[in-house]
């Protein structure tokens, strides 16, 4: 089973690409009407993270947003950035 990582937590997602795309689109669409009680704006980033598994443009957008958020958190609140899994600023993982 494929997993996505959001705010330092790993969430399982379906292994089949068609199910992932359907779930991702449903989450983004549900987040668009986030003013309703059960649905919320939290669904948009989760849906984009699921869609990023299969679509490179969404993956690039997610990566730019994640790096920008990490840099902003390090400038404002370094302790919180560490709790969310962002390493020290300026470090890069080599794979």
């Amino acid at each position: 089973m494929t997993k996505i990582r959001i705010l330092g937590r790993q969430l399982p997602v379906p292994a089949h690409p068609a199910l992932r795309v359907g779930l991702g689109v449903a989450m983004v669409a549900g987040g668009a009407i986030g003013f309703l009680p059960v649905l919320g704006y939290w669904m948009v980033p989760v849906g984009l993270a699921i869609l990023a598994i299969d679509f490179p443009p969404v993956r690039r957008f997610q990566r730019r947003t994640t790096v920008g958020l990490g840099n902003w958190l390090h400038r404002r609140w370094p302790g919180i950035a560490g709790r969310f899994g962002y390493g020290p600023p300026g470090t890069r993982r080599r794979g």
Side-chain angles (χ1 to χ4, degrees), residues 46-71:
V46 174
L48 289 175
I50 293 170
L51 288 173
I53 296 171
D54 296 313
F55 296 106
V58 179
R59 190 175 316 129
R60 285 189 291 272
F61 172 75
Q62 179 193 19
R63 181 66 182 155
R64 280 194 307 266
T65 305
T66 302
V67 169
L69 176 65
N71 290 336

Side-chain angles (χ1 to χ4, degrees), residues 60-92:
R60 285 189 291 272
F61 172 75
Q62 179 193 19
R63 181 66 182 155
R64 280 194 307 266
T65 305
T66 302
V67 169
L69 176 65
N71 290 336
W72 181 76
L73 279 175
H74 273 294
R75 284 193 307 272
R76 300 286 304 256
W77 301 290
I80 292 175
R83 270 190 253 148
F84 283 140
Y86 292 106
T91 60
R92 294 185 183 186

